[in-house]
Amino acid sequence: MTVALAVLWVLCFWFVVYVVKYLSRSSRQLLPLFRPRRQTVEVAVKNLHLRVKTNALNVLHDELCYSLSSDECRLLKRVLLHLYDLGSLVGVMGMIGALLLLWSITANLLMSMANTSFNSSHGSLVKRGLEIEVGELTPVLAGNGAFSVRAIIPGVTVPLSHLPIILVALCVCQIVHEVGHAIAAATLRVPILFSGFAVTVIFPSFFVAFPVIRLERLQAIDRLRVTAAGCFHNLVFWCLLYLATWTKISTFLSEFFFEDVSHVGKVVVGVHLDSPLRNHIPSSAIVTMLDDTMLSVPGIASSGDPWDEFLLSPSPVATRGWCFEKSGLANASSSLECQSANGRFCFALMDDASNRYSLDPVAVLTGGLARCDSSADCTSLSSCVVPQHGQQLVRVALLSSGLATGEEVVLWKGPRREIWEQVEVSTLKPRIPLISNKVRRYALDFIEYTTLINLSLYLVNMLPIPALDGFQLLVILLELILGREPASGSIDLEAASNNRDVTNRTRETPARRIIEATIGASTVVLVALNILLPAIQYTLH
């Protein structure tokens, strides 16, 4: 996927959104969407921001609240409350860890910039291994045990083609996060007002809204459970995915859908759309040899991948030739200045490289001729010929229909590296035709990004920044530590109309407000520094 194609898809998406918005002006059935009675869907579009909210899921949440309040689910509710107590503790630890990590990264960035400025001002030489690469937006520190963070930026730090997978993984992780808030609220019989999702440019987000008054009436420890539940779910999901990766479950499951053919060669996963090899090397074909290099991997561990080693290394001098009839050599043009033209290539005698002939490579390399190390290995009517070195001619032997059929040979004229760039291979052959290696690769990429995003959401959401869970967690912690002072003036009219006690309403103490503002502002400053400093460092280099 190119940048232009990605931008085109984004423009098409917003074009469709605004077309629907325009049509909704004359037809009330499109936007916003209405359903009879209780269930409604409201859609709002402004600039490049789309917001959809609904109360259709309120019934499910109410049923969950009722079920957890029944005697049959009393044990389940007790277990959930204990789990969310653990989630509260994990949330507090996550907030502290996220702050320490943020301070550490900021300090490392400042030290890195200071060292860079010092070295550049003195004009000193540094070792290549300690230099900061141009374009690297993450801190690279000298010394062992240094910690660095590398952002997931499609087209910069990861391939742009991974953008759809990243967006889907982000949606899944945010749904897990919001479900955590909803389940924790259900254990305390707190209803939801509405739920929904939003899209800003291309970035999705999900949300669940609760009545503020109902949350304020809860005990501080209960509000702590609801606030920390989202990040706790992300952390639990990350642990499950990490455990699945550590136990090699994916490898075990892949054996049911894929067959290991490393003892034969490499399976072609795909060929680039604009590659000339696309019409000659089909997907799922097994490449067995490149020239005389076998691609089969023996049972013992090998030092490297023969596919990469052959295509990324300089072209070696051929050590074996083909027994070609002398009558054909007599009819071929022989010259000391043999040139490749009109589909013919220069071949030389294995015993005497000065004798060169212009021959058709298809007849020599794919004609099933006997192989030889010298002319002595051929009959009296044949001579051992070999392609002249440096002509960028590669033989690709493959099995296109399975292991039982004969080999086919494809000749490639061009740099070896182009084959490596245009053809993607694997060692696993699909057992089911509908499940290709691309599906497996997409699944592995999805699991990897889901794992990373879950951990990122846990740490980022625990930062005490306004509008994030971490700030609400900080407010509740300060309430538990410093308490509240009685409120004066306004009275909760809803509580008074329901004959509820309104005299126990409280408000924040001045000390709490100062601490909250100080920590929140300092965290915002640190986040801004972590964005600006790498950009400045990149500009300076």
Side-chain angles (χ1 to χ4, degrees):
M1 178 187 293
T2 62
V3 176
L5 182 60
V7 173
L8 179 62
W9 276 108
V10 174
L11 294 177
C12 290
F13 170 77
W14 285 107
F15 175 77
V16 172
V17 169
Y18 272 93
V19 167
V20 175
K21 180 183 179 181
Y22 176 79
L23 295 177
S24 67
R25 296 179 178 179
S26 58
S27 176
R28 296 287 182 180
Q29 299 179 356
L30 292 179
L31 205 81
L33 302 175
F34 293 99
R35 292 190 177 184
R37 296 180 184 179
R38 295 182 55 189
Q39 297 185 1
T40 61
V41 177
E42 297 182 8
V43 181
V45 180
K46 184 178 181 180
N47 298 328
L48 296 181
H49 179 76
L50 170 67
R51 179 183 173 91
V52 180
K53 68 177 184 178
T54 178
N55 62 357
L57 300 178
N58 292 18
V59 177
L60 296 177
H61 184 79
D62 294 341
E63 292 177 355
L64 180 60
C65 293
Y66 177 78
S67 299
L68 293 176
S69 300
S70 62
D71 295 334
E72 292 81 2
C73 297
R74 182 178 301 174
L75 178 60
L76 175 60
K77 180 179 180 179
R78 186 178 303 173
V79 172
L80 289 176
L81 288 175
H82 286 307
L83 283 177
Y84 289 125
D85 286 336
L86 176 62
S88 301
L89 178 61
V90 171
V92 174
M93 296 174 60
M95 183 180 66
I96 297 174
L99 283 174
L100 293 176
L101 180 62
L102 186 61
W103 277 100
S104 174
I105 295 175
T106 306
N108 291 338
L109 277 172
L110 292 174
M111 292 176 60
S112 177
M113 288 193 64
N115 293 334
T116 303
S117 301
F118 179 80
N119 291 332
S120 60
S121 62
H122 286 74
S124 60
L125 298 177
V126 296
K127 293 183 179 179
R128 179 180 296 271
L130 299 179
E131 293 178 349
I132 301 178
E133 297 181 0
V134 176
E136 190 77 16
L137 298 182
T138 58
V140 181
L141 304 176
N144 296 328
F147 186 84
S148 63
V149 174
R150 189 177 182 87
I152 301 176
I153 306 176
V156 179
T157 60
V158 296
L160 185 61
S161 59
H162 289 189
L163 179 59
I165 302 176
I166 294 174
L167 294 179
V168 173
L170 181 60
C171 290
V172 171
C173 296
Q174 292 193 52
I175 291 174
V176 170
H177 182 94
E178 298 302 329
V179 167
H181 289 308
I183 296 178
T187 59
L188 303 171
R189 302 198 66 177
V190 176
I192 62 174
L193 293 177
F194 53 84
S195 57
F197 69 93
V199 178
T200 304
V201 187
I202 59 172
F203 300 103
S205 60
F206 291 78
F207 55 86
V208 175
F210 302 102
V212 177
I213 296 177
R214 290 293 297 270
L215 289 177
E216 289 296 327
R217 290 174 183 167
L218 295 176
Q219 297 291 333
I221 189 65
D222 293 332
R223 282 187 282 120
L224 189 63
R225 291 192 185 108
V226 177
T227 302
C231 294
F232 179 62
H233 274 226
N234 286 128
L235 184 63
V236 171
F237 195 19
W238 174 80
C239 292
L240 293 176
L241 292 174
Y242 183 81
L243 181 63
T245 304
W246 179 69
T247 55
K248 302 296 182 63
I249 293 179
S250 58
T251 304
F252 176 75
L253 292 177
S254 65
E255 295 180 356
F256 291 96
F257 301 100
F258 297 91
E259 175 188 2
D260 187 3
V261 294
S262 59
H263 62 285
V264 180
K266 299 283 187 179
V267 178
V268 177
V269 176
V271 183
H272 287 192
L273 294 176
D274 56 350
S275 172
L277 289 170
R278 186 175 179 84
N279 296 327
H280 304 281
I281 300 181
S283 298
S284 300
I286 301 177
V287 181
T288 58
M289 293 180 63
L290 295 172
D291 282 349
D292 292 328
T293 301
M294 299 290 297
L295 298 183
S296 58
V297 178
I300 58 176
S302 59
S303 58
D305 188 350
W307 174 271
D308 294 340
E309 291 179 352
F310 178 85
L311 296 177
L312 299 179
S313 61
S315 177
V317 178
T319 58
R320 300 197 70 196
W322 287 262
C323 293
F324 194 77
E325 294 182 356
K326 293 181 179 180
S327 59
L329 296 178
N331 297 328
S333 59
S334 176
S335 174
L336 295 177
E337 299 180 356
C338 179
Q339 298 180 355
S340 300
N342 299 324
R344 292 180 173 268
F345 287 82
C346 293
F347 285 77
L349 292 179
M350 181 69 73
D351 301 328
D352 186 3
S354 61
N355 292 328
R356 292 177 291 180
Y357 304 90
S358 180
L359 301 175
D360 182 6
V362 177
V364 179
L365 305 181
T366 66
L369 301 180
R371 301 301 303 274
C372 56
D373 295 327
S374 64
S375 297
D377 298 332
C378 303
T379 63
S380 58
L381 301 177
S382 302
S383 296
C384 189
V385 296
V386 65
Q388 183 178 339
H389 181 66
Q391 295 187 106
Q392 297 184 337
L393 189 63
V394 180
R395 290 181 298 113
V396 182
L398 53 89
L399 302 171
S400 59
S401 302
L403 302 178
T405 60
E407 286 188 345
E408 301 177 5
V409 178
V410 174
L411 295 182
W412 167 258
K413 174 65 171 69
R416 296 181 171 194
R417 188 179 182 85
E418 292 185 1
I419 301 178
W420 184 83
E421 294 174 347
Q422 299 174 13
V423 182
E424 184 178 358
V425 295
S426 174
T427 58
L428 299 177
K429 181 179 178 63
R431 299 182 186 269
I432 303 175
L434 296 178
I435 302 179
S436 64
N437 272 289
K438 289 186 177 181
V439 175
R440 176 180 175 272
R441 184 188 62 189
Y442 293 152
L444 293 177
D445 290 339
F446 173 76
I447 293 175
E448 181 179 359
Y449 284 122
T450 304
T451 304
L452 294 175
I453 293 175
N454 267 295
L455 185 60
S456 300
L457 284 179
Y458 167 70
L459 293 175
V460 173
N461 266 290
M462 284 293 98
L463 289 174
I465 298 176
L468 294 183
D469 293 340
F471 189 79
Q472 299 300 321
L473 195 68
L474 175 65
V475 171
I476 298 172
L477 284 177
L478 293 177
E479 178 183 344
L480 290 173
I481 297 173
L482 301 178
R484 285 188 174 188
E485 64 179 12
S488 60
S490 62
I491 298 177
D492 190 345
L493 297 179
E494 180 182 353
S497 62
N498 292 325
N499 297 323
R500 294 176 181 171
D501 184 15
V502 296
T503 60
N504 61 350
R505 296 183 69 252
T506 58
R507 65 182 182 184
E508 296 181 350
T509 62
R512 279 184 52 195
R513 288 195 294 269
I514 294 174
I515 295 175
E516 291 171 6
T518 302
I519 296 179
S522 61
T523 306
V524 172
V525 171
L526 289 175
V527 173
L529 287 176
N530 277 270
I531 297 175
L532 294 177
L533 290 180
I536 295 174
Q537 188 177 18
Y538 176 78
T539 303
L540 294 177
H541 283 276

